[in-house]
Amino acid sequence: MSGTQILALIAPVIAVVFAIVFLIVWAAQRRKRYILFFVASAVLYALAAATQIFMFPPGIGPNTTASALLFIGTVVCFGEGLLRRAGTSRGRLPIIATAVAVFAMVEVFYFVHDSLTMRLYALNLGCGLLFAATAIELAEAGRRRTIDRIVFWVGLAAGLQFFPRTVIALEFGTPIDGVRGFFASAFWFSMNFSLVIVFLVLALTVLAAIALDSIDELKSEGHTDFLTGLLNRGGFEARARDVLADPAAQPASLVFCDIDLFKGINDRHGHAAGDRVLQAVGGLLADTIRPGDVAARIGGEEFVVLLEGANLASAWRFAERVRRRVEAHAFDAVARDLAVTASFGVAERQAGESLPDLMRRADTMLYAAKRGGRNRTQADPLRGAGQPDG
């Protein structure tokens, strides 16, 4: 084995190590199936590099086809892992079409018009396009955390480096003379060096993202109400303060919701039935809120929703929609002769008002609705007389 081949083995060896690391991470977090795409990507890259280094399968044609498929599969699998982690459900047609086109061009430049230089251009620039297409999909996935932005920029940089590196090495390096010349060319050295760096940076970035995802999930579990899946009081207060601090989320309104005569449901039908009612009401709230709104169960049968960008009239209409849905809902956990209803209190945030003060005003409106006969919505009188126009 030549010194060049030994040097070239560094990248696939690193890939195998990271494949094992990703596999261990997946074994500890099996529900994160997207990690398996990173395992597959690392394995495919190791195989692709080994295919070229050891010229197996033998013959330029079979070797070209095998290595091209493996390299393209490496990029596609890595990109799919990134997209699945981001939770994007967008179609993959542009990426698939690009992958097919790249492979077709590699084959054309061997079987139709034999040109090693053009094959290298097609494969390397094509892989760059695949990385760039994945980065565009990530940008449109809408995740805004710092680590998500880092993943985007690292993925984009990984794709963009293919273009200048390939052009400079092929146009200004020593001309490639056959297969032997390929392994001694400036392109071969620059490719292996850059791919080692790119693979290390990509793999370490993804591992950091997975670790931070796990930390965020642990925090989220601590802020989640186990029964309804909504936020609990602590989670609500943390999220609500962020919303109220954002000028773009103003105006903002708060809606308190309390299930009427809930103690009677527990006493007559048991706590299991009461839990199913709570779950159903929580589900109705979750189905009615918009992205950006914050809903929580803050204790017993009491729920709260912070509506961003909603004035008092909009919040009142929201509360009425939920109230009517609760009233019309068929609760299979209770007897037919016992209707489940809820009362609502609504308050719009005043300029500079703190979250506790806003919650106290909405809570006061809730108890006014209770005293007024239940199954109704009461709006804060600080914003006009009587109920808002609905």
Side-chain angles (χ1 to χ4, degrees):
M1 183 183 294
S2 68
T4 301
Q5 288 177 315
I6 294 174
L7 177 64
L9 280 173
I10 294 175
V13 168
I14 290 175
V16 170
V17 171
F18 274 105
I20 295 171
V21 171
F22 279 122
L23 195 59
I24 293 171
V25 172
W26 171 77
Q29 306 181 62
R30 288 178 179 260
R31 57 192 180 82
K32 295 181 179 179
R33 297 184 180 178
Y34 69 83
I35 297 175
L36 292 175
F37 282 94
F38 299 127
V39 176
S41 179
V43 171
L44 288 174
Y45 176 69
L47 291 174
T51 295
Q52 286 192 336
I53 294 169
F54 298 107
M55 282 301 293
F56 183 84
I60 297 177
N63 192 268
T64 295
T65 299
S67 61
L69 280 173
L70 291 168
F71 276 123
I72 293 169
T74 297
V75 180
V76 170
C77 283
F78 199 93
E80 184 66 17
L82 293 178
L83 294 174
R84 293 197 178 215
R85 174 190 166 269
T88 177
S89 59
R90 293 171 58 85
R92 303 293 195 269
L93 184 59
I95 294 175
I96 295 173
T98 301
V100 172
V102 171
F103 178 71
M105 290 180 66
V106 171
E107 295 296 282
V108 165
F109 286 119
Y110 176 74
F111 291 101
V112 178
H113 178 69
D114 188 6
S115 172
L116 175 59
T117 299
M118 293 307 297
R119 289 200 299 275
L120 294 175
Y121 268 122
L123 183 57
N124 283 267
L125 300 187
C127 287
L129 286 175
L130 286 170
F131 267 115
T134 300
I136 292 171
E137 293 290 329
L138 286 176
E140 296 180 356
R143 300 183 72 172
R144 302 175 182 175
R145 296 182 309 157
T146 299
I147 188 60
D148 298 316
R149 290 193 289 270
I150 292 174
V151 169
F152 163 75
W153 285 111
V154 168
L156 183 61
L160 294 179
Q161 65 86 27
F162 277 92
F163 295 90
R165 174 181 59 75
T166 303
V167 173
I168 291 172
L170 289 177
E171 295 297 327
F172 300 100
T174 304
I176 300 175
D177 183 19
V179 175
R180 292 182 179 228
F182 171 68
F183 288 111
S185 67
F187 175 84
W188 174 255
F189 281 100
S190 67
M191 180 187 72
N192 279 280
F193 177 77
S194 65
L195 288 182
V196 168
I197 302 301
V198 167
F199 195 89
L200 277 172
V201 172
L202 283 171
L204 291 173
T205 301
V206 169
L207 286 172
I210 294 170
L212 291 174
D213 288 346
S214 299
I215 293 172
D216 286 346
E217 286 167 6
L218 288 173
K219 291 180 179 178
S220 177
E221 289 174 1
H223 285 164
T224 301
D225 174 55
F226 75 95
L227 187 62
T228 64
L230 301 177
L231 293 172
N232 57 22
R233 178 180 283 274
F236 172 77
E237 291 178 351
R239 289 276 299 278
R241 286 193 177 95
D242 290 341
V243 172
L244 295 180
D246 183 2
Q250 309 308 313
S253 296
L254 199 70
V255 176
F256 263 88
C257 166
D258 188 90
I259 300 172
D260 296 327
L261 302 173
F262 185 73
K263 184 177 183 298
I265 297 174
N266 278 335
D267 291 344
R268 182 171 178 179
H269 302 282
H271 287 280
D275 287 348
R276 290 196 290 273
V277 170
L278 290 171
Q279 290 172 331
V281 172
L284 292 174
L285 283 171
D287 288 342
T288 310
I289 61 173
R290 308 159 301 169
D293 295 336
V294 186
R297 177 185 172 221
I298 58 173
E301 66 274 22
E302 195 168 45
F303 298 82
V304 63
V305 180
L306 180 65
L307 302 168
E308 68 171 11
N311 59 20
L312 188 68
S314 297
W316 185 81
R317 288 192 292 270
F318 167 85
E320 278 293 286
R321 283 198 303 274
V322 177
R323 185 189 64 79
R324 289 192 292 267
R325 292 187 68 181
V326 172
E327 186 179 28
H329 189 77
F331 292 90
D332 59 1
V334 299
R336 293 182 179 180
D337 60 342
L338 179 60
V340 177
T341 61
S343 300
F344 295 80
V346 182
E348 181 180 345
R349 187 195 187 198
Q350 308 296 300
E353 185 175 28
S354 68
L355 177 62
D357 288 342
L358 177 60
M359 293 179 71
R360 277 192 290 271
R361 287 200 295 116
D363 196 36
T364 299
M365 293 302 99
L366 171 63
Y367 281 98
K370 293 282 190 182
R371 291 192 301 270
R374 299 187 178 88
N375 192 26
R376 65 194 304 266
T377 301
Q378 179 70 45
D380 190 345
L382 286 178
R383 290 288 188 184
Q387 304 296 332
D389 293 335

